[in-house]
Amino acid sequence: MQRERVSVLIIGGGSVGLAAAAFLAGRGVRPVVVEQRAGLSGHPRATSIGPRAWEALLSTGRTEEFLAVAERRSESRPPIKARTIAEYDPGTAAPQADVSREFLDAIEDFTPVADLGGCGQHRIDPVLLRTVLDGGGEVRWHTRMVALRQADDHVAVTVEDTAGGRGSVIQADYVVAADGADSATRELVGISRSGQGVVGGHHINVLFRADLSELIAGRGFFSPAFVTHPEAGGMLIALDEGDRWCYHIMLPPDGDAALEDYTHERCREVIRTGLGVPEQELEILSTAPWRPTAWLADRFRERRVFLAGDAARTLPPVGVFGLTTGICDAYNLAWKLAAVLGGAAGAGLLDSYEAERRPRSAFLLDQVLRRVRNPRLHWGGTPAQRTAAGIMEHAIAHLCDLYDSAAIVEPRTEPLSFVDARANLDGSPGTRVPHLWLERGGRRLSTVDLAAGVFTLLAGRDGEPWADAARTAGKELGVPVVALTLGSDPWTRVAEGRWEDAAGITARGALLVRPDGQVAWRSPGAGQDHAVRMGQVLRHVLDR
Ligand SMILES: Cc1cc2nc3c(=O)[nH]c(=O)nc-3n(C[C@H](O)[C@H](O)[C@H](O)COP(=O)(O)OP(=O)(O)OC[C@H]3O[C@@H](n4cnc5c(N)ncnc54)[C@H](O)[C@@H]3O)c2cc1C
């Protein structure tokens, strides 16, 4: 059997596997992805992702390409609810909350990507694939992982060609299991999962092509549309400027038909009923049954194998958390793997992946389940009602996390606020770097962009001793560190005192931000022995 050696093998070429590969390829690692399908999946489940995922994706530098596929929240229209689409009358229909717009208003002071919202996976994946290939990575289609064995210094993964069944062994320093909710990798390495499991009924996600322009004319553009017809209950989502659509048929819990009865012909009839146009021409492209499930892997790592995306947890699709969280897993893990493989960090840094991502996942799972139990509070209600139900404001749940691991120096101990984003994004260690617009080289960019992909020291305007010390410590340890004094750096324009206010530091203080945008350490003031302290901090974070 043929054998080869790679540094990182990613099992699964869905959006999370591709994101992990894209983040690694940008860091000098040449990841190999094995995917059993013949190519990219053209049938999206996720049609929108949250701001942290957008921040991570833009860190790849493919800004123009991602901007070209992302819908703008500022141009979105509120969803609609009607018995059928044809019966929807904007003049008389009860207005629905414009959740996308409200979300934009809530996040725009806290992230540079506030306006980016809807985007089907089928539009994200091609950009990720190009990023992987241009960065020297490889994606092997038709290739299924069938066995896996861990050794002290590698993982031996047996893969088979799905077309011809030919097998080979790939030895990898590390494996990322991004093989989805039913992850065979997770089972092979013996990681169990816990949770409620199935938390809702059967649905069928039907991808179809149809010209609905006549139907929509005069009704205003909408997406999604909730259809309440008793025989066609579900949700219609526009893709690709309304040429292709997804109809999520909700199978009636007490209906007489089983999942298998939903042939293409039957799906077509249900969709026509939901549209309210019995003769509507439409071409069914593919169908994908699904049920909402709530699972959390009991561990995110077994020796050299790391779980990411749905392999690590499944979240019912309420609130755009599933793929968002998977992309954030990949972003968290990629720089750590690259640092360990490149010799910049000790292997202990990798322990922080589970320490950071599993509690975050458990928290989000709990939040999503509260929304499933109280959908009215997700789509409406007041902050006071949500707080009483233990529901964090949607924008805050997306933007604010707090890591407590050995890769953070003295993490914040105060719990996150459920209602106040500014109080959470205050520069304290373990949180995402505060967002502040500034101008550099004639371009407007955010502190979040500045700190993407590399260790970045962002000091106050008189924080040159920290900046100097960070550059020196980085050189000594062989770790690239960018260091700036915001407010006095000649290339960067920012209103005096703004950064210090945002970061919770004086003019002589500083934040050290990790390559994934999380604050690793903060000195609120001038401090002492800068060179010694910076060396200690970097060694601590990198397990050196
Ligand atoms: C109806 C619905 C709507 C959703 N909407 C949203 C949304 O709007 N926003 C959001 O953030 N999330 C959403 N989600 C969640 C989101 O779709 C998932 O979290 C995300 O797609 C998971 O991606 P993944 O790459 O981890 O897994 P998958 O997409 O399942 O990819 C796993 C890949 O691994 C491959 N694979 C499996 N086993 C092997 C093997 N042995 N060898 C090789 N390859 C293998 C599979 O072929 C597959 O391509 C939604 C989910 C559903 C069900």
Side-chain angles (χ1 to χ4, degrees), residues 354-373:
E354 175 176 306
E356 294 175 354
R357 294 305 299 166
R358 194 171 177 281
R360 169 74 176 153
S361 301
F363 176 76
L364 288 178
L365 185 54
D366 174 67
Q367 282 295 307
V368 171
L369 288 174
R370 287 173 192 271
R371 286 165 163 77
V372 170
R373 287 194 295 271

Side-chain angles (χ1 to χ4, degrees), residues 47-54 70-78 98-108 111 113-119 223 319-321 324 394-395 398-399:
T47 47
S48 187
I49 51 171
R52 297 303 304 282
W54 280 120
E71 288 162 23
R72 302 298 188 270
R73 290 187 188 282
S74 52
E75 292 165 15
S76 73
R77 301 283 298 266
D98 190 349
V99 279
S100 190
R101 186 78 225 191
E102 287 168 10
F103 191 73
L104 168 60
D105 291 343
I107 65 174
E108 72 186 339
T111 172
V113 297
D115 202 19
L116 306 185
C119 188
S223 186
V320 187
F321 288 108
T324 301
H394 194 201
H398 267 283
L399 274 178

Side-chain angles (χ1 to χ4, degrees), residues 13 34-42 129 139-144 161-163:
V34 288
E35 167 56 52
Q36 62 190 2
R37 277 186 284 103
L40 292 175
S41 165
L129 179 61
V139 181
R140 297 183 192 167
W141 307 110
H142 289 295
T143 308
R144 178 179 297 133
D161 180 334
T162 54

